[in-house]
Amino acid sequence: MKKPPSGRFSVPSGPIAAADGDCYASKEGDAKAPSAGTLRGLDWLNFFLADVQTGVGPFLAIYLAGYRWNEESVGLALTVGGIAGILMQTPAGALVDRLRSKRALIAAGIVVLAAGALLIALLPSFWPVMSAQVLIGGTSSVFGPAICAVSLGIAGHRLFDRRQGRNQTFNSAGNVVAAVSMGLLGYFISDRSIFFFVAISAIPTILTLLIIRPDEIDYGRARGAKEGDESGTPVEASALLKDRPLLIFLVCAVLFHFANAAMLPLLGEMLAKGKGRSSMLFMSACVVTTQLVITLLASWSGRKAGSWGRKPLLLIAFGVLPVRAILYTLTHHAIALVAIQILDGVGAGIFGVVSVLVIADLTQGSGRFNFTLGAVSTAVGIGASLSQVIAGSIVHHFGNNAGFLFLAAVAAVALGILYFFMPETRDKRFLNPAPGEPAI
């Protein structure tokens, strides 16, 4: 199998033989435009799904700390969820590639996630929390590849840059609303009420799925196959292992998340010490700050990824991470710590958009987009889970500063590998659309 310089996979003969690049672009350009209702449904799905997922993330560390869980126990709980996600990411991506009913898969995941949140709220002891984390971690792995598949199936490669930026914008706006709501609920009612909020938020999330028309999600495009390919066999998964740029990006992504994953939970535990119930408000402020920055940057990142290329934006995202970790060691003032979260928003906002575009670039024409996205997420999940345990143990034995400096060193290594070894992946045949073309 040969892979052309543009990063697209091709097969010499057979049902998924790659089309000429210009022909591919023209076919996408001639495809029927999605309805306004479908696009609105995808917007609001990203918004409400953030409400469901936010409460079982950074707020969990503070919630468990309130029940006298120490740093290692909290890290173990977070790791269990991460392990469940690791085990499910690649199968989930393969399932998304194969399954035509993406909406049903997303709906099932939302229901299970809400059930896990209720279990944490009602039984905050060791085994129920661990069981809930398995449910939440396992089902959450479905959302990333499923949303990306729906988006690619609707927008196509030509408009995927903008669509992915728009997805991230609405997701981050939802995170802002959720974080503010959960911070207020935790302060004025109880920490437990946050998890009931998660369960309630599942209802409008599922309802938005009904707005997205399934006939407007092109099955072949959604899995990164040749345009119009509905039944062709995808390339062998082993072919992906021979793609050097993909492997380099995999290493960079793992190190990025290893350095990043533990920072906010460690910050939450640091804020929880000696501040009582107000710590939930501080965590809410941290999440809101991050998500506001992501909301402002996401659409911009999608547009610039088409004109600047992927690598310059990734260098910005990777570059702010070690700076952020070092700044955490220089102050313990709550307001300053919250302000540092601006850098978290810059890194997460760019990486969340551009990383998916890089994977779409490198798997174009393979029919394995979601499988690859899941496999990369599996590796990233390993890094993130190890980050929680290792950084938590370092903080437990040596203090907060040692933990943050360790994460800064890992982030610096990731930046170096990205700068020296990762090539640009943007396909020049799919530059940003002209201003007159429809907003996707």
Side-chain angles (χ1 to χ4, degrees):
M1 178 175 298
K2 258 175 116 179
K3 188 166 75 69
S6 64
R8 296 177 59 196
F9 283 83
S10 63
V11 180
S13 61
I16 66 164
D20 176 82
D22 294 333
C23 176
Y24 187 92
S26 66
K27 284 184 179 181
E28 283 204 344
D30 295 338
K32 183 180 178 181
S35 64
T38 290
L39 296 177
R40 282 198 301 269
L42 187 53
D43 288 340
W44 290 109
L45 174 61
N46 280 280
F47 180 89
F48 286 116
L49 188 58
D51 289 352
V52 176
Q53 291 184 286
T54 298
V56 290
F59 290 97
L60 180 62
I62 292 179
Y63 175 70
L64 296 179
Y67 284 90
R68 300 182 183 276
W69 288 51
N70 61 35
E71 292 91 343
E72 288 182 310
S73 297
V74 172
L76 178 61
L78 296 174
T79 300
V80 165
I83 291 173
I86 289 168
L87 296 176
M88 283 300 298
Q89 286 285 1
T90 303
L95 181 62
V96 172
D97 273 334
R98 180 178 294 271
L99 195 66
R100 290 181 178 269
S101 183
K102 321 291 189 198
R103 301 187 313 160
L105 185 62
I106 294 172
I110 292 168
V111 170
V112 175
L113 194 150
L118 287 175
L119 187 58
I120 292 174
L122 297 173
L123 298 169
S125 53
F126 185 81
W127 288 113
V129 169
M130 295 299 170
S131 301
Q133 284 292 88
V134 170
L135 289 175
I136 292 167
T139 56
S140 292
S141 61
V142 168
F143 298 134
I147 294 294
C148 289
V150 170
S151 301
L152 185 58
I154 291 172
H157 283 278
R158 179 169 174 77
L159 297 174
F160 191 45
D161 291 359
R162 289 191 174 186
R163 181 66 253 181
Q164 183 62 16
R166 189 173 175 89
N167 285 350
Q168 192 67 54
T169 295
F170 273 83
N171 183 267
S172 298
N175 277 324
V176 170
V177 172
V180 171
S181 301
M182 292 172 186
L184 294 175
L185 286 171
Y187 184 78
F188 290 107
I189 301 178
S190 69
D191 293 349
R192 181 176 295 180
S193 64
I194 289 173
F195 299 94
F196 291 114
F197 175 83
V198 170
I200 294 172
S201 296
I203 297 172
T205 309
I206 292 176
L207 291 177
T208 58
L209 284 169
L210 302 177
I211 304 175
I212 301 173
R213 293 178 55 179
D215 59 302
E216 295 184 357
I217 305 171
D218 186 281
Y219 173 66
R221 267 199 322 230
R223 60 194 179 99
K226 187 183 72 173
E227 179 71 12
D229 174 31
E230 289 292 321
S231 58
T233 303
V235 301
E236 294 294 331
S238 59
L240 301 171
L241 298 176
K242 301 175 184 178
D243 191 312
R244 186 171 180 270
L246 183 59
L247 295 178
I248 293 172
F249 181 71
L250 174 64
V251 172
C252 292
V254 169
L255 292 175
F256 180 90
H257 280 274
F258 185 98
N260 183 66
M263 286 192 193
L264 190 56
L266 291 180
L267 177 61
E269 292 171 32
M270 189 166 65
L271 290 173
K273 293 177 181 178
K275 292 185 173 61
R277 294 176 64 186
S278 64
S279 61
M280 195 64 75
L281 283 179
F282 283 118
M283 176 53 71
S284 177
C286 288
V287 174
V288 167
T289 300
T290 298
Q291 296 304 324
L292 279 175
V293 175
I294 294 175
T295 302
L296 295 172
L297 277 181
S299 290
W300 176 86
S301 298
R303 293 192 302 271
K304 293 304 179 184
S307 56
W308 291 6
R310 317 318 194 195
K311 186 171 180 177
L313 290 170
L314 286 175
L315 287 172
I316 296 173
F318 278 65
V320 300
L321 191 55
V323 175
R324 173 182 159 219
I326 292 172
L327 288 177
Y328 283 142
T329 68
L330 302 180
T331 180
H332 292 281
H333 194 281
I335 295 177
L337 292 172
V338 170
I340 294 170
Q341 289 303 109
I342 293 174
L343 296 179
D344 186 22
V346 172
I350 295 175
F351 186 87
V353 173
V354 180
S355 61
V356 176
L357 301 180
V358 169
I359 295 171
D361 293 340
L362 296 174
T363 59
Q364 189 181 331
S366 70
R368 293 282 190 179
F369 168 57
N370 300 294
F371 171 81
T372 306
L373 190 61
V376 171
S377 297
T378 297
V380 162
I382 293 173
S385 297
L386 290 175
S387 173
Q388 306 280 4
V389 173
I390 295 174
S393 296
I394 290 174
V395 169
H396 183 70
H397 294 289
F398 302 105
N400 291 314
N401 287 354
F404 285 122
L405 289 175
F406 167 73
L407 296 175
V410 174
V413 171
L415 176 62
I417 294 174
L418 178 72
Y419 180 80
F420 289 108
F421 300 106
M422 184 68 197
E424 176 58 55
T425 65
R426 180 193 60 178
D427 190 337
K428 294 181 179 179
R429 288 170 289 193
F430 295 108
L431 295 175
N432 267 341
E437 292 193 67
I440 288 290

